[in-house]
Amino acid sequence: MLFTLSDVEVSALAPDLIRNDFAVELRDVVKLYGTMAAVDHVSMSIRHNEFFSLLGPSGCGKTTCLRMIAGFERPTSGQILIDSKIMGLTPPFQRNVNTVFQSYALFPHMTVEQNVAFGLEMKGISRAEIVRRVGEALSLVRLPHLAKRYPKQMSGGQQQRVALARALVNRPKVLLLDEPLGALDLKLRKEMQIELKTLQRDVGITFIYVTHDQEEALTMSDRIAVMSHGKALQIGSPLEIYERPACKFVADFIGETNFLEGRVIAINGEFATLSVATGHTFTGRRVNGLQVGEIATLSVRPEKMQLVEHPVDGAANTYEVTVFSIAYVGSDTRVIINLGDQRLDVWEQNSTSTLNPDDYFFKPGEKAWLTFKPENALVLAQ
Amino acid sequence: MSNETSTIVVMGEREEIFPQEPAERQRVRPGRLALVTITLLTFAFLYVPIAILVVFSFNDARTGAVWQGFTLDWYARLFRNERLLDAALRSLIIATVSTAGSVVIGTMTALAMERFRFRSKTFWDGLLYMPVIVPEIVAGVSLLLFFATAGIERGFFTLVVSHIAFSMPFVYLTVRARLADFDLSIEEAAKDLGADEWVTFRRITLPLLMPGIVSGALLAFTLSVDDFIISFFVTGKGWDTLPIYIWSALKRGVTPEVNAVSAMLLLFSATLVVGSLILQRRRSY
Ligand SMILES: Nc1ncnc2c1ncn2[C@@H]1O[C@H](COP(=O)(O)OP(=O)(O)OP(=O)(O)O)[C@@H](O)[C@H]1O
Ligand SMILES: [Mg+2]
């Protein structure tokens, strides 16, 4: 699937199927600590069985959002709905939601096994069934051999996996995961990502997933909310977030990009042309209804630009530049170029295999032509 | 004197840095000698009288401070002394009941003070330390006055209430110390997994506080059994505790029997206090 329908589009297509049928909804939620808004008018609707990620820099309010959904914090204003029911003062133990805590929060006086069994015991499930499911959950997180250990006797990564097992074993409708793989090494992290994604899809659990790892968010999520300073700046599929960032912050935060600041000198349908400080003009996709004369920023990702020896006559966004440095990183070559006094990153894919460094025909100090299509760049409001 | 002290500190430091330096080792240091002597005297002052008491509880002589040979006779006599045994039993009953009261009230107060936010909390917290500071004689007199004014007959009830009053702060303090490094997210995790307030308390909070509670309880029990001054003021007819009995026995002269009771009381208290300290040290699992 190359695009996802927005909520509005879906409800237009099938109104009774969709109305109020969300796993979790945040309606204009605000959380103040003193006068500081940890969460600032956030609205989001998370669908059933959706893998929904919260992505954003440290302190932007991700954990606070999860805590309000779980019922540990009360929103200062706004509403939270789980399964279309307004939560209000519903205590955590009456919400069909489980949390994987950022700090693990394992019970120190219980063994791994007892920790994982706790939720099932609370539900009054039979002993035999508990033993079976605990064993299953511990295998899933690759820890069946440590069942009798106490949390203090385990590494950070092992504790994190116990926290994961303790929540997963309950098969809740909604699982809130606060950086659940943060303490794991790369290999184990990849394995667990696959396990989680498979489980989420097969069992049909709604995941609300906090991560610092962009790649993790992009590969696993159905949709991502990018947050900054308590606000949800953009909610969309990984594709939308990466290819059509709604603002400078999102473009900058997700992946790499080049920014060129300038003034809008022309608008042509979907496109806007910008005159930048170096004296060059660039054209890109226009967003947020920009007007002529406004200050705006052109955002173009390094892999969406090319360096060529001979420019095509009359092509847009094509200028002579000087190569500043070259770095070979395996899959591609990362070139830094100078356009006037502006530095830009350009990534060229290494599509041919060669051992001779001179085969790459640009060397530092050489001239080259930079070119990119207007549809591959975005003009964002300031 | 202060001059001398600072010299010692400097010398001590140099010794740390050059532990093998022979010149340093051989020089006589009068300051150090004085310190060691004073320390030894302090220990002697603290423990020699107790040692004498214990030693003479095994002395095979009715009176006098002359060693006449070893006997367990005085201990045997204790267990035949009905009045003493009754007093000891009363002490144990009062200690048990008042400890139970202190544990419940002290733990609940500690939880409330730790978890709830309210105005001038520091002030209220300070008030709870007061019984630790108030001189026992003052506490005794004021409790006596209070019971007299309220028209409460002195006896079991007044003893228990008074003992709770002075031992509860110790439970409060040990539980509060335990709560200070209690990770609240653990309780949240329990609720997240479906445990209501009560189950969370019983399965999570209480087990984690247990070392603090038990250690506080042992202290409270010891204080209750050992207490003389306050008990003396608030006791009533037929409710003489063991310390009161010992005091009245002393009025007839110091006998080796009194030494024996005291030695046993000492052993009992020491065991409980050491137990309490061990539990307090045991931080986490
Ligand atoms: N109990 C609290 N009292 C006061 N301020 C708080 C409290 N909890 C969080 N905050 C503040 O709210 C903001 C959001 O915190 P939150 O924990 O939600 O961030 P986060 O996005 O989860 O960050 P991280 O990625 O570092 O975990 C921060 O500025 C934080 O300092
Ligand atoms: Mg967080």
Side-chain angles (χ1 to χ4, degrees), chain A residues 33 36-39 56-65 73 102 178-179 210 212:
Chain A
Y33 287 116
M36 200 264 310
V39 172
S58 186
C60 69
K62 305 179 296 287
T63 298
T64 309
C65 279
E73 307 279 356
Q102 192 171 13
D178 203 343
E179 297 189 38
V210 170
H212 271 131

Short mmCIF file of all heavy atoms in Angstrom, two decimals, chain A residues 33 36-39 56-65 73 102 178-179 210 212, ligand 1:
data_model
loop_
_atom_site.label_atom_id
_atom_site.label_comp_id
_atom_site.label_asym_id
_atom_site.label_seq_id
_atom_site.Cartn_x
_atom_site.Cartn_y
_atom_site.Cartn_z
N TYR A 33 2.08 20.82 33.84
CA TYR A 33 2.81 20.67 35.10
C TYR A 33 3.18 22.07 35.53
O TYR A 33 4.04 22.69 34.92
CB TYR A 33 4.07 19.82 34.91
CG TYR A 33 3.79 18.35 34.71
CD1 TYR A 33 4.12 17.71 33.54
CD2 TYR A 33 3.19 17.60 35.73
CE1 TYR A 33 3.86 16.36 33.37
CE2 TYR A 33 2.92 16.26 35.56
CZ TYR A 33 3.26 15.64 34.38
OH TYR A 33 3.01 14.31 34.22
N MET A 36 3.88 24.73 32.79
CA MET A 36 4.50 24.14 31.61
C MET A 36 3.58 23.08 31.01
O MET A 36 3.12 22.19 31.72
CB MET A 36 5.84 23.51 32.01
CG MET A 36 6.82 23.29 30.89
SD MET A 36 6.79 21.64 30.19
CE MET A 36 6.90 20.61 31.62
N ALA A 37 3.32 23.22 29.71
CA ALA A 37 2.45 22.24 29.06
C ALA A 37 3.30 21.07 28.57
O ALA A 37 4.04 21.19 27.61
CB ALA A 37 1.70 22.89 27.90
N ALA A 38 3.20 19.94 29.27
CA ALA A 38 3.94 18.75 28.85
C ALA A 38 3.27 18.16 27.61
O ALA A 38 3.92 17.59 26.75
CB ALA A 38 3.98 17.72 29.98
N VAL A 39 1.94 18.30 27.56
CA VAL A 39 1.16 17.89 26.38
C VAL A 39 0.24 19.06 26.06
O VAL A 39 -0.46 19.57 26.94
CB VAL A 39 0.37 16.60 26.66
CG1 VAL A 39 -0.57 16.29 25.51
CG2 VAL A 39 1.32 15.43 26.88
N GLY A 56 9.72 11.69 18.78
CA GLY A 56 10.04 13.09 19.09
C GLY A 56 11.21 13.16 20.03
O GLY A 56 11.57 12.17 20.66
N PRO A 57 11.80 14.34 20.14
CA PRO A 57 12.98 14.48 20.99
C PRO A 57 12.66 14.29 22.47
O PRO A 57 11.49 14.33 22.86
CB PRO A 57 13.46 15.91 20.72
CG PRO A 57 12.29 16.62 20.16
CD PRO A 57 11.44 15.60 19.47
N SER A 58 13.69 14.09 23.26
CA SER A 58 13.52 13.88 24.69
C SER A 58 12.76 15.04 25.33
O SER A 58 13.03 16.20 25.05
CB SER A 58 14.91 13.74 25.33
OG SER A 58 14.77 13.40 26.68
N GLY A 59 11.79 14.70 26.17
CA GLY A 59 11.05 15.73 26.89
C GLY A 59 9.89 16.32 26.11
O GLY A 59 9.28 17.29 26.55
N CYS A 60 9.52 15.72 24.95
CA CYS A 60 8.46 16.33 24.14
C CYS A 60 7.07 15.89 24.59
O CYS A 60 6.08 16.38 24.07
CB CYS A 60 8.67 16.01 22.67
SG CYS A 60 8.38 14.28 22.28
N GLY A 61 6.99 14.97 25.56
CA GLY A 61 5.68 14.62 26.08
C GLY A 61 5.18 13.23 25.71
O GLY A 61 4.00 12.91 25.93
N LYS A 62 6.05 12.39 25.19
CA LYS A 62 5.62 11.05 24.78
C LYS A 62 5.16 10.22 25.97
O LYS A 62 4.06 9.66 25.97
CB LYS A 62 6.78 10.32 24.06
CG LYS A 62 7.36 11.10 22.89
CD LYS A 62 8.51 10.37 22.22
CE LYS A 62 9.73 10.18 23.10
NZ LYS A 62 10.53 11.36 23.35
N THR A 63 6.03 10.14 26.99
CA THR A 63 5.67 9.35 28.17
C THR A 63 4.42 9.91 28.84
O THR A 63 3.54 9.14 29.26
CB THR A 63 6.85 9.34 29.17
OG1 THR A 63 7.97 8.72 28.53
CG2 THR A 63 6.51 8.57 30.43
N THR A 64 4.30 11.22 28.88
CA THR A 64 3.12 11.83 29.50
C THR A 64 1.85 11.39 28.76
O THR A 64 0.83 11.10 29.39
CB THR A 64 3.27 13.36 29.51
OG1 THR A 64 4.53 13.69 30.09
CG2 THR A 64 2.15 14.01 30.30
N CYS A 65 1.89 11.33 27.44
CA CYS A 65 0.74 10.86 26.67
C CYS A 65 0.37 9.44 27.08
O CYS A 65 -0.80 9.14 27.37
CB CYS A 65 1.04 10.88 25.17
SG CYS A 65 0.88 12.49 24.42
N GLU A 73 -2.01 9.58 34.93
CA GLU A 73 -2.12 11.03 35.03
C GLU A 73 -3.49 11.41 34.46
O GLU A 73 -3.99 10.76 33.56
CB GLU A 73 -1.06 11.75 34.17
CG GLU A 73 0.36 11.32 34.43
CD GLU A 73 0.96 11.99 35.65
OE1 GLU A 73 0.30 12.86 36.27
OE2 GLU A 73 2.10 11.61 36.00
N GLN A 102 9.04 2.68 30.62
CA GLN A 102 10.37 3.12 30.20
C GLN A 102 11.41 2.70 31.25
O GLN A 102 12.53 2.35 30.94
CB GLN A 102 10.37 4.64 30.03
CG GLN A 102 11.59 5.18 29.33
CD GLN A 102 11.45 6.66 28.98
OE1 GLN A 102 10.55 7.35 29.45
NE2 GLN A 102 12.34 7.15 28.14
N ASP A 178 6.77 2.04 26.02
CA ASP A 178 7.61 3.23 26.17
C ASP A 178 9.07 2.83 25.95
O ASP A 178 9.73 2.35 26.87
CB ASP A 178 7.42 3.85 27.55
CG ASP A 178 7.79 5.32 27.56
OD1 ASP A 178 8.48 5.76 26.63
OD2 ASP A 178 7.40 6.02 28.51
N GLU A 179 9.53 3.01 24.75
CA GLU A 179 10.89 2.60 24.36
C GLU A 179 11.22 1.19 24.84
O GLU A 179 12.14 0.98 25.62
CB GLU A 179 11.91 3.59 24.90
CG GLU A 179 11.69 4.96 24.31
CD GLU A 179 12.81 5.92 24.65
OE1 GLU A 179 13.95 5.47 24.67
OE2 GLU A 179 12.51 7.09 24.88
N VAL A 210 6.43 4.14 21.74
CA VAL A 210 7.33 5.29 21.83
C VAL A 210 8.73 4.83 21.50
O VAL A 210 9.19 3.81 22.01
CB VAL A 210 7.31 5.91 23.24
CG1 VAL A 210 8.41 6.92 23.40
CG2 VAL A 210 5.96 6.53 23.52
N HIS A 212 12.88 6.30 20.16
CA HIS A 212 13.80 7.35 19.71
C HIS A 212 14.39 6.97 18.37
O HIS A 212 15.02 7.79 17.71
CB HIS A 212 14.96 7.49 20.71
CG HIS A 212 14.67 8.46 21.79
ND1 HIS A 212 14.87 8.18 23.11
CD2 HIS A 212 14.20 9.71 21.75
CE1 HIS A 212 14.52 9.22 23.83
NE2 HIS A 212 14.11 10.16 23.03
N1 LIG C 1 5.67 14.70 37.20
C1 LIG C 1 6.15 15.74 36.50
N2 LIG C 1 6.25 16.96 37.06
C2 LIG C 1 6.71 18.00 36.33
N3 LIG C 1 7.11 17.93 35.07
C3 LIG C 1 7.04 16.74 34.46
C4 LIG C 1 6.57 15.58 35.14
N4 LIG C 1 6.60 14.55 34.28
C5 LIG C 1 7.11 15.04 33.13
N5 LIG C 1 7.36 16.35 33.23
C6 LIG C 1 7.87 17.22 32.15
O1 LIG C 1 7.02 17.09 31.04
C7 LIG C 1 7.76 17.08 29.83
C8 LIG C 1 7.44 15.82 29.05
O2 LIG C 1 7.94 14.71 29.75
P1 LIG C 1 7.85 13.23 29.18
O3 LIG C 1 8.34 12.32 30.22
O4 LIG C 1 6.48 13.00 28.65
O5 LIG C 1 8.89 13.30 27.98
P2 LIG C 1 9.29 12.16 26.95
O6 LIG C 1 8.87 12.64 25.60
O7 LIG C 1 8.78 10.85 27.39
O8 LIG C 1 10.88 12.21 27.03
P3 LIG C 1 11.95 11.03 26.94
O9 LIG C 1 12.10 10.71 25.50
O10 LIG C 1 13.17 11.65 27.50
O11 LIG C 1 11.44 9.90 27.76
C9 LIG C 1 9.22 17.20 30.23
O12 LIG C 1 9.60 18.53 30.04
C10 LIG C 1 9.23 16.82 31.67
O13 LIG C 1 10.24 17.53 32.35
#
